[in-house]
Amino acid sequence: MTHSGIGRHQTRRVLVGGIAIGGGAPIVIQSMTNTDTADAEGTARQVYELARAGSELVRITVNTSEAAAQVPHIRKLLDEMGCDVPLIGDFHYNGHRLLTEYPECAQALAKYRINPGNVGKNRKGEDQFAVMIAVAKQYDKPVRIGVNWGSLDQDIVVRMMDENAKLPQPRDVREVTREALIVSALDSAKRAEELGLPRERIVLSCKVSEVQDLIAVYRELAKRCDYALHLGLTEAGMGSKGIVASTAALAVLLQQGIGDTIRVSLTPAPGGARTEEVVVAQEIVQTMGLRSFTPMVTACPGCGRTTSTVFQELAQHIQNYLRAQMPTWREQYSGVEEMTVAVMGCIVNGPGESKMANIGISLPGTGESPAAPVYVDGEKTVTLRGDHIAEEFTQIVNEYVARKYVRK
């Protein structure tokens, strides 16, 4: 599903392990593990969980010799699980050494992430950057040149601040810092091309942690280049703050057609699921009408007519069930990700919303014995009563999927 009202910024297409980024391809969802990559089994399990949740690319930290040595084993474990999700290596400081000393790691990864601010200083940094680009060329790997607000090359910042101070009307410091991010990314991409890496193997990102800064940076970046663009609000935070901030920033840019792949950088709650960031990223894209990933549930917020918790519990049950089933349905049926389900709490909007969904159920409201009409493709088919409404409605959903969608 694509929203016809959103024109996409034209960028070059980059292939990452068979996944297309940019060039009009659907927006790609990606995520990153938080395991110690030296723990191959633990990392492979988390990659598998992220991929099963819907992450189409997964980035892993490659920061030590022990981690680099385990990357081929992680790839092998994933292949044995039947998980072909491409792996991206996240390199800082010592990537040039790890990629050359561990060629099997370099081959097993589908893309390398290079942070220009952490490659090294002056001539040393130029040489180390060149080594990483040479490895990418050797193994036909794309790279993401990922500039970050928190690790921006200070030489660039100081130079641009000095130049700004000499202007008759100096610009705001924040504006200069935004410009430094863009210059760092574009100059590094230009250098990669000069070293022989094709433009079709370069993805750019300029990540910051403030919504308005991200919007301003990417608007300007999109004006100046046709590289594929990776979006993400870095260090977005945890809970509702991280979700709201990421949504506010990414939605504005995506609505303007800017962005080819996204990651939502949420801080998990202690013991929380890493997959939450995948769910949020999918829901941002899907609720905007740009892609469909999993059946969506429409549910009313409740009011004085719905003081019981029946419809809330039913909505939660159905939403959790649909997402849990989607990895299996994705393999079995075509188009099921576009199904809509309505779970409504009373008679005011319940029947109408239920008729508009593929499948809808409308509970009657407060103080009554539950009697819930079910609508399938706009037609009332049955009224559910009693203590097993959730189970019976779930069965109706299963039967609808099996009947409606074409088996692969």
Side-chain angles (χ1 to χ4, degrees):
M1 178 174 67
T2 301
H3 194 296
S4 59
I6 301 177
R8 297 283 298 282
H9 169 61
Q10 293 302 306
T11 58
R12 301 294 183 102
R13 178 169 294 201
V14 180
L15 288 177
V16 181
I19 303 293
I21 298 175
I27 294 163
V28 175
I29 305 298
Q30 59 178 281
S31 58
M32 184 175 183
T33 60
N34 61 357
T35 55
D36 180 355
T37 307
D39 174 8
E41 286 75 14
T43 300
R45 281 195 302 273
Q46 190 174 88
V47 171
Y48 178 81
E49 291 167 1
L50 290 166
R52 186 170 172 81
S55 186
E56 295 159 301
L57 302 171
V58 178
R59 185 157 41 113
I60 60 176
T61 298
V62 187
N63 59 335
T64 63
S65 296
E66 292 78 11
Q70 290 302 318
V71 170
H73 185 43
I74 293 167
R75 179 72 271 168
K76 182 173 182 290
L77 289 172
L78 290 168
D79 291 341
E80 290 172 353
M81 296 178 193
C83 179
D84 61 358
V85 66
L87 293 177
I88 301 167
D90 193 64
F91 294 97
H92 298 270
Y93 310 112
N94 58 356
H96 61 290
R97 180 175 62 80
L98 296 176
L99 284 170
T100 51
E101 292 181 2
Y102 295 89
E104 291 184 351
C105 166
Q107 293 178 68
L109 294 168
K111 185 173 74 169
Y112 312 146
R113 184 277 174 100
I114 304 174
N115 183 342
N118 289 338
V119 170
K121 296 293 183 183
N122 303 318
R123 184 65 188 177
K124 179 181 178 182
E126 291 180 12
D127 291 344
Q128 292 176 175
F129 181 82
V131 168
M132 298 182 76
I133 297 301
V135 174
K137 287 171 53 186
Q138 179 182 356
Y139 297 113
D140 295 324
K141 305 294 184 179
V143 302
R144 170 163 69 95
I145 295 173
V147 184
N148 195 296
W149 186 276
S151 53
L152 183 57
D153 187 338
Q154 290 305 300
D155 290 343
I156 294 177
V157 176
V158 171
R159 172 174 60 81
M160 294 185 66
M161 289 295 182
D162 288 344
E163 292 171 353
N164 183 63
K166 296 174 184 177
L167 295 175
Q169 294 182 318
R171 294 182 294 174
D172 178 77
V173 170
R174 203 173 193 92
E175 186 179 351
V176 177
T177 307
R178 291 172 179 169
E179 178 66 14
L181 281 163
I182 297 169
V183 168
S184 178
L186 292 177
D187 284 357
S188 297
K190 180 182 178 182
R191 179 61 179 148
E193 287 195 63
E194 290 172 349
L195 291 167
L197 189 68
R199 182 170 287 239
E200 291 75 15
R201 289 192 203 147
I202 299 173
V203 179
L204 292 190
S205 69
C206 290
K207 290 193 174 184
V208 300
S209 55
E210 299 293 333
V211 171
Q212 294 298 340
D213 290 316
L214 192 82
I215 293 169
V217 166
Y218 273 91
R219 279 176 173 167
E220 190 60 30
L221 187 62
K223 290 178 184 177
R224 300 193 202 177
C225 74
D226 64 353
Y227 295 109
L229 298 180
H230 167 120
L231 297 187
L233 193 72
T234 191
E235 288 89 42
M238 65 189 308
S240 60
K241 185 271 178 183
I243 294 171
V244 171
S246 293
T247 303
L250 271 57
V252 170
L253 291 167
L254 292 172
Q255 183 69 20
Q256 294 174 358
I258 298 171
D260 302 295
T261 178
I262 69 170
R263 188 224 169 170
V264 174
S265 300
L266 294 182
T267 304
R274 189 67 168 178
T275 53
E276 181 185 15
E277 68 175 53
V278 179
V279 173
V280 172
Q282 287 184 329
E283 290 180 348
I284 291 171
V285 174
Q286 185 159 349
T287 54
M288 292 184 69
L290 297 172
R291 279 188 73 183
S292 294
F293 299 97
T294 193
M296 297 294 282
V297 176
T298 300
C300 70
C303 66
R305 298 183 182 87
T306 58
T307 53
S308 72
T309 61
V310 175
F311 90 93
Q312 296 165 323
E313 294 163 356
L314 179 58
Q316 183 178 49
H317 168 81
I318 291 298
Q319 184 159 289
N320 291 343
Y321 179 79
L322 293 175
R323 187 160 287 281
Q325 284 294 111
M326 195 57 209
T328 301
W329 284 346
R330 190 184 298 123
E331 296 177 357
Q332 294 179 340
Y333 302 103
S334 296
V336 67
E337 66 277 2
E338 297 188 11
M339 181 174 69
T340 57
V341 179
V343 179
M344 304 301 293
C346 82
I347 61 172
V348 174
N349 293 316
E353 288 280 2
S354 296
K355 289 177 183 178
M356 293 177 66
N358 292 117
I359 309 173
I361 185 168
S362 177
L363 287 113
T366 302
E368 71 298 313
S369 298
V374 174
Y375 298 83
V376 177
D377 290 332
E379 299 294 329
K380 180 180 175 182
T381 59
V382 67
T383 298
L384 302 181
R385 294 180 172 83
D387 298 328
H388 302 288
I389 288 178
E391 294 84 353
E392 292 172 5
F393 186 64
T394 301
Q395 183 59 33
I396 291 171
V397 171
N398 284 330
E399 292 171 356
Y400 181 85
V401 169
R403 182 177 70 254
K404 180 78 172 184
Y405 298 100
V406 177
R407 280 192 173 271
K408 293 182 178 179

